[in-house]
Amino acid sequence: MARKMSRNSRYAELTTDSNAETRRLIDAGNRLAKEVARLFPSEPDLADRHYWLETMINHVPDYIFAKDAEGRFLIANQATVADNGFNDLQELVGKTDFDLHPPEFAEAVAETERRVIETGEPIFGIEERAIVTKGYDRWLMTSKVPLRNKRGKIVGVVGISRDISERKAAERLLEGQARLLEMVARGEPLETFFHELILLIERLMPGIKGSILLLSEDGRYLLQGAAPSLDETYCSAVHGLEIGPKSGSCGTAAWRGQQVIVSDILTDPLWEGYAHVVQPYGFRACWSTPIFSRERKVLGTFALYSREAGAPSDHQQELTAMAAHLAGIAIERKRAEERISFMAHHDAVTGLPNRARFEAQVAGMLESIRGREQWAVLAFLDLDNFKLINDNLGHAAGDELLKAVAGRMRAAVRKSDVVVRLGGDEFIILLNGVPTDRDLVLKRLEDIRTAIAMPVQLQGRSLQVTCSMGVACYPKHGRTTSELLANADMAMYRAKEYGRNNLQVFSAEMAAKAQEKLQWQEELREAIARDEFILHFQPQISLASGRIFAAEALLRWQHPQRGMISPATFIPLAEETGLIVPIGDWVLKAACRQAKAWQEAGLLPLTVSVNVSARQFRERNWAARVAAVLVETGLDARYLELELTESLIMQDVPGAIATMHELEAIGVHLAIDDFGTGYSSLSALKRFPVSRLKIDRSFVEDIPSDPDDEAITAGIISLAQKLGLRVIAEGVESEAQVEFLQRSGCDEIQGYFFSPPLSSQDFETLLRRSGCDAEG
C-alpha cells in the first residue's frame, strides 16, 4: 500500500510539473498575443494569426509537435525540426520516428502514442532518455494528449517535451553520493569505492576521464588508486610519480596542497618532461585537486583528463570538489579501520603482533610443516629484572627498552618467523620450518639472546637486560598451540629457577614436575577447605631467667595420605599461588585462639609469635584484620608478636613502616625475623617500630667453629643493644652456642637445645612442668 501511495504521489508530482509547464507556455503565448495587439491595434486577419501562432511556438525551446494516427509528423516547432536534423518543417512533415531513429527507440515512442490514441487518455510527465543527445546524456519530460478533429474523433496525438537533463543529473548525483556513502559505511574496499566514484563523475561529465592517486606513507610518491577508464599502460607509467613543484598536474597539486589546472598539457611548463607520457592517449588538459584529511593533510589527488584543451566549468569544479571530499572521507575511514584492526592484533608499545593475532596465525603455520622433516620452534622469553628498570627509571624508559628489545628480536629472525609480545616483559618467538638439528636451533636462539643483551642507551645511561628463555619444538614437544605455549612457559620458569639469563629446553622431567606441582596445588586448596593444618609451638627462653616467656607458632600440614608435611615443602607453593593469604589468616587466628585457651586453662600469659608472609602484609587494611582476629579470639594485643622478614619490609619501606605503625597502635609487638639476610640499611632499621631482632639460624649453626659467624652475631647483638632492642637467636642446638650468646649479651634463645616444636597439648605439658601455671 505504501509503495502504491508513493507511485501515486510521484505521478501527481509529475502531473503537476507538466501542467505547470503547460501553464507557462500559455502565459508566454498570451504575453506574445498582447504584444501583437499593441503593435497591430486593428484585429489581425487569419493569415496574421497563423503567423504569430507559428512564431510563438517556434520561440519555445521545448519540443512541440502533432502526429497523425500513423505516427506521421503533421506539425512541429523549430526546436523539433532542428534537433531532428532538418532546416524546414516541410522536410519533417510526413515522416515517422522509424524514419528518423533506430527501431528500438522508435518502437518505444510509437507504443506510448498508440496507447494515447486507443484509450483517449492523456499521458503527463513521462521521463525518458532523449533520442537526440546533442553530445551528452539528455533526459526529457514528455506529455502527450489525443488530437481530435471537429467531430471529436481522435486522429493523432499532440506532444510537448522539455529537457530535464540538469535535474536528472542532480538526481543521479544525489543517488550516487548516497550509494557511495553507503559503501563507506559498509567498509567496501577503497579500490571498489574509487572505481564507483570515478564512473559517477564520468557519467556526469561526458568525454572526461578520472583518476585517483594516493600519497605514499613517506609523502614522496603518488601511487595508483583507481582509473577505470584510463589505459593500464598509462596508469603504470604514473604509478610511483615523485611529487614536486613541476611534476605534472597531480604531482604538483600534491606538492603544493592546492588545485592545479593545466589547460594545455603540450604547452604548460608543469608537464615539461611528462607530456610525452600522456600524449599518445590524446589528452590535452588535466585538472588535479588534492584529496585532504580533516586535518588538511594531503592524502592523494583526484584528477580529470580532457581530450580538449581548456579549463573546467564551474559545474565541473563543483563536481570535482565533491568527489575529492568523498574520496577523503573514504580514505580516512579505511585508515581508521586499519588502525583499529592493527591495534586489536598488535601491541601498542612495540608494534609486534599480540597473542590474539599469534593464535589466529600459528595453527596454519604449524599445519604447513606437518609431515615435513622440519620443526617449528616456540621460544617463550621473559626479560630479567625488568621491573627494577621500570620502577627506577619510569614507565617511559621501560617502554623504550621494550621497543629496543622488540627491534632486536625482529632483526634477528627471518620474515617467515614470528615475534609476539604477550604483555609486560614476556615475548614469544616462533621459528617456523627450521631443520631438525638441536644444535642449530640452540645456536639461533642463543644469538637472539645475545642480541637482546647488548647495551641499550636509556636516559643518558647504558643498560643491559638479559632474558630467561624456555623452548618447545613442534611436533616433538606438543602438537597444538596451547601445548607448545604451556611447555615453553614451563621451560622458561625452569630457566628462572636456575638463576635467570639462560635457556632451557622442555623435557618430560619438567612435565612430570609440573604435574606434581599442580597436584600439590590442588591438594593444598583441599587442605584449606578440609582444615588439615595444625600448629606446633617452639618455646622461646629468656637467658636471664631460664624460663619460657613466649612460643613461636609453626605451621604443619597433616595430610590424610602423606602424613605430616613440613612447611618447607608447601609454603613456597602457597606463596607462589597466593594461597598463603588464607593459610596465614588461619595461622593467625589459630595461634591467638590457642594462646587465649592456655590463659583460660590457668597458665601464665605468654606471648605467641606468628610469622607474616609478604603477600599477607601487602593486603589492604591488614592491620584492621589483625585487630578483628584479636577481638574475635579475646586475646590481649600485647600477647601477640608478628615476625616480619627484612626482605618483606625492604620491598616497600614507606608502606611497610606505615603498616607497622598501625599494628603498633593496636598494641601488637613486632620483630624482624632472619635478621642479617635481608640487607636492610641502618637508616631504615632505626625507623622500624620493632621491639626484637631475631638472628637467623645460618649465623648460629657454625658457632663456635666459625669466627666470622661469631663476629657477625656479636655485631648484631651489639647493634640491637644500642638501638634499645631485645635479641633472640634461633636454631640454638648446643651448650657452646648458648654460652657464646650469653657472653655476647643475647637476651633470648630458641632451638632444639631446649625443645623442638611441640603440639599444643605437649607444649601445655611442658609449660606446667616448667612452673608456668598461674598457681605455680
Side-chain angles (χ1 to χ4, degrees):
M1 177 64 72
R3 194 173 300 168
K4 182 176 181 182
M5 290 176 65
S6 177
R7 286 199 299 269
N8 290 340
S9 300
R10 180 63 179 152
Y11 177 77
E13 179 185 340
L14 295 176
T15 303
T16 302
D17 289 347
S18 178
N19 291 339
E21 294 300 329
T22 302
R23 284 196 298 272
R24 280 194 287 272
L25 290 174
I26 293 171
D27 291 342
N30 290 335
R31 286 195 299 272
L32 185 60
K34 289 179 181 178
E35 182 64 16
V36 170
R38 186 181 68 80
L39 294 173
F40 302 94
S42 58
E43 183 179 346
D45 59 20
L46 182 61
D48 289 335
R49 285 199 298 272
H50 287 166
Y51 168 77
W52 288 111
L53 178 61
E54 183 178 350
T55 300
M56 179 179 70
I57 66 172
N58 283 335
H59 274 78
V60 175
D62 301 332
Y63 298 152
I64 301 174
F65 56 87
K67 298 178 184 177
D68 65 17
E70 302 301 323
R72 293 184 290 264
F73 280 94
L74 299 174
I75 192 170
N77 67 345
Q78 187 58 39
T80 307
V81 172
D83 283 359
N84 277 284
F86 300 106
N87 296 316
D88 186 81
L89 173 62
Q90 296 307 315
E91 296 178 72
L92 178 63
V93 171
K95 290 184 171 56
T96 70
D97 287 298
F98 288 95
D99 300 322
L100 304 175
H101 306 298
E104 62 271 17
F105 291 102
E107 180 58 40
V109 172
E111 173 61 29
T112 303
E113 294 173 353
R114 279 197 296 270
R115 189 163 67 250
V116 171
I117 292 172
E118 290 171 1
T119 64
E121 296 290 332
I123 294 177
F124 295 109
I126 301 173
E127 292 185 2
E128 56 187 3
R129 192 181 296 274
I131 299 173
V132 180
T133 65
K134 293 186 178 181
Y136 63 92
D137 190 25
R138 293 177 69 223
W139 282 81
L140 302 175
M141 177 180 283
T142 301
S143 296
K144 294 181 180 180
V145 298
L147 175 64
R148 301 176 186 270
N149 60 18
K150 292 181 180 180
R151 295 185 298 276
K153 181 181 178 183
I154 297 174
V155 294
V157 295
V158 175
I160 181 169
S161 297
R162 162 152 291 192
D163 192 328
I164 58 169
S165 300
E166 287 188 9
R167 195 192 81 190
K168 290 295 290 185
E171 288 178 358
R172 290 203 307 275
L173 176 60
L174 289 174
E175 292 170 358
Q177 287 176 319
R179 186 169 60 255
L180 288 166
L181 290 173
E182 186 177 333
M183 291 175 70
V184 172
R186 289 199 308 266
E188 295 277 356
L190 270 183
E191 186 177 354
T192 304
F193 174 85
F194 290 158
H195 187 95
E196 187 71 20
L197 173 62
I198 292 171
L199 291 181
L200 170 65
I201 297 301
E202 290 177 350
R203 284 194 296 270
L204 298 172
M205 298 185 191
I208 300 296
K209 306 301 179 187
S211 167
I212 291 177
L213 297 174
L214 298 176
L215 193 63
S216 61
E217 288 188 11
D218 60 9
R220 295 180 57 191
Y221 304 97
L222 289 174
L223 309 176
Q224 187 62 41
S229 302
L230 293 181
D231 189 278
E232 290 184 5
T233 305
Y234 177 71
C235 293
S236 298
V238 299
H239 178 72
L241 172 70
E242 186 170 6
I243 71 172
K246 290 181 63 177
S247 297
S249 300
C250 295
T252 308
W255 173 268
R256 294 177 182 176
Q258 62 187 38
Q259 187 180 49
V260 171
I261 295 175
V262 172
S263 299
D264 192 342
I265 291 172
L266 301 182
T267 61
D268 197 293
L270 295 182
W271 277 82
E272 187 178 337
Y274 299 99
H276 68 281
V277 178
V278 72
Q279 194 170 0
Y281 304 98
F283 295 118
R284 289 293 302 276
C286 182
W287 318 315
S288 184
T289 301
I291 299 171
F292 290 110
S293 69
R294 284 173 295 180
E295 293 79 22
R296 299 295 294 175
K297 292 182 179 179
V298 176
L299 303 174
T301 59
F302 183 88
L304 295 177
Y305 291 85
S306 173
R307 296 185 184 279
E308 297 179 3
S313 66
D314 290 344
H315 177 61
Q316 289 172 325
Q317 287 275 51
E318 290 174 5
L319 289 176
T320 302
M322 178 276 297
H325 180 64
L326 286 179
I329 292 174
I331 294 170
E332 286 205 285
R333 170 63 184 267
K334 182 58 66 176
R335 291 185 178 179
E337 289 177 355
E338 290 171 351
R339 282 196 298 271
I340 292 170
S341 176
F342 183 87
M343 290 170 63
H345 296 95
H346 290 79
D347 171 56
V349 175
T350 64
L352 293 174
N354 59 17
R355 182 162 186 166
R357 183 170 179 81
F358 171 74
E359 291 184 348
Q361 291 181 326
V362 69
M365 297 174 71
L366 297 181
E367 184 64 30
S368 68
I369 65 169
R370 188 184 300 277
R372 300 183 185 178
E373 289 298 319
Q374 290 180 323
W375 282 342
V377 179
L378 192 149
F380 196 121
L381 65 93
D382 181 281
L383 302 183
D384 299 326
N385 301 313
F386 175 74
K387 187 177 185 300
L388 186 63
I389 295 173
N390 223 24
D391 291 346
N392 284 277
L393 300 183
H395 290 287
D399 288 349
E400 287 302 313
L401 177 61
L402 291 172
K403 290 176 186 176
V405 169
R408 290 174 179 182
M409 286 190 282
R410 270 194 298 241
V413 301
R414 303 164 303 173
K415 288 185 178 181
S416 59
D417 300 329
V418 179
V419 181
V420 175
R421 184 188 176 204
L422 291 182
D425 59 349
E426 292 183 334
F427 296 84
I428 293 173
I429 297 175
L430 182 67
L431 305 180
N432 189 37
V434 298
T436 56
D437 184 330
R438 178 185 172 93
D439 292 339
L440 177 64
V441 168
L442 292 180
K443 183 181 183 308
R444 286 189 60 185
L445 293 174
E446 286 294 353
D447 287 344
I448 294 172
R449 290 198 336 103
T450 300
I452 292 171
M454 294 292 290
V456 180
Q457 295 297 320
L458 288 177
Q459 298 182 354
R461 66 180 72 184
S462 180
L463 295 175
Q464 256 184 310
V465 61
T466 59
C467 72
S468 300
M469 183 181 288
V471 179
C473 299
Y474 170 89
K476 184 177 181 181
H477 300 142
R479 293 185 171 273
T480 65
T481 307
S482 57
E483 287 178 357
L484 288 171
L485 278 172
N487 293 338
D489 188 27
M490 201 181 304
M492 188 271 288
Y493 274 102
R494 175 63 64 89
K496 290 281 189 185
E497 291 171 2
Y498 282 4
R500 297 185 172 88
N501 190 24
N502 71 95
L503 179 154
Q504 294 293 317
V505 179
F506 174 78
S507 66
E509 179 266 331
M510 286 184 195
K513 187 173 181 180
Q515 186 62 37
E516 182 183 9
K517 184 177 180 180
L518 183 61
Q519 181 66 28
W520 274 105
Q521 183 176 324
E522 290 304 311
E523 291 183 12
L524 195 55
R525 292 183 188 278
E526 292 175 1
I528 297 171
R530 296 174 183 175
D531 199 18
E532 294 175 358
F533 296 109
I534 61 173
L535 289 182
H536 282 186
F537 298 88
Q538 188 169 35
Q540 297 178 344
I541 313 301
S542 169
L543 287 176
S545 66
R547 295 175 65 88
I548 300 172
F549 72 95
E552 181 179 5
L554 299 169
L555 181 63
R556 300 289 185 269
W557 179 4
Q558 184 64 55
H559 194 284
Q561 285 83 38
R562 303 176 191 264
M564 191 69 73
I565 300 176
S566 165
T569 302
F570 65 87
I571 288 298
L573 179 60
E575 289 178 339
E576 181 183 332
T577 59
L579 294 174
I580 193 66
V581 174
I583 292 173
D585 289 346
W586 181 90
V587 171
L588 177 64
K589 190 176 296 184
C592 291
R593 187 182 294 115
Q594 184 60 65
K596 182 64 176 177
W598 284 329
Q599 291 177 15
E600 291 176 347
L603 294 169
L604 291 173
L606 78 163
T607 300
V608 62
S609 184
V610 177
N611 291 282
V612 179
S613 73
R615 290 289 294 270
Q616 277 181 285
F617 197 69
R618 289 197 299 267
E619 289 288 301
R620 292 182 60 188
N621 302 320
W622 194 68
R625 291 165 66 174
V626 172
V629 169
L630 291 171
V631 171
E632 180 182 344
T633 59
L635 182 67
D636 193 301
R638 58 181 171 159
Y639 296 120
L640 174 63
E641 180 182 71
L642 300 176
E643 294 188 8
L644 314 173
T645 63
E646 280 187 280
S647 56
L648 177 157
I649 297 170
M650 295 308 294
Q651 288 177 7
D652 176 15
V653 173
I657 291 175
T659 303
M660 291 163 74
H661 279 300
E662 291 177 5
L663 293 166
E664 182 187 35
I666 297 171
V668 172
H669 297 294
L670 300 174
I672 296 182
D673 191 16
D674 301 335
F675 187 77
T677 63
Y679 310 105
S680 61
S681 66
L682 296 179
S683 61
L685 178 61
K686 69 181 182 180
R687 296 162 57 198
F688 298 157
V690 298
S691 55
R692 282 205 300 177
L693 296 183
K694 196 170 192 179
I695 301 174
D696 187 67
R697 66 177 63 248
S698 63
F699 298 121
V700 176
E701 61 185 357
D702 290 331
I703 294 174
S705 61
D706 190 331
D708 290 338
D709 283 345
E710 284 187 341
I712 293 171
T713 301
I716 293 173
I717 294 170
S718 175
L719 172 65
Q721 289 172 340
K722 287 180 172 58
L723 293 175
L725 304 176
R726 299 192 337 271
V727 181
I728 181 171
E730 66 176 349
V732 178
E733 297 183 355
S734 69
E735 188 170 352
Q737 291 170 343
V738 174
E739 290 174 355
F740 172 80
L741 293 168
Q742 283 179 319
R743 289 197 309 271
S744 300
C746 184
D747 300 295
E748 297 136 4
I749 63 170
Q750 174 184 340
Y752 276 72
F753 176 76
F754 187 83
S755 172
L758 302 171
S759 67
S760 58
Q761 185 176 357
D762 291 342
F763 190 87
E764 181 176 342
T765 301
L766 176 62
L767 288 176
R768 293 191 185 280
R769 283 206 315 264
S770 301
C772 293
D773 52 344
E775 294 179 357

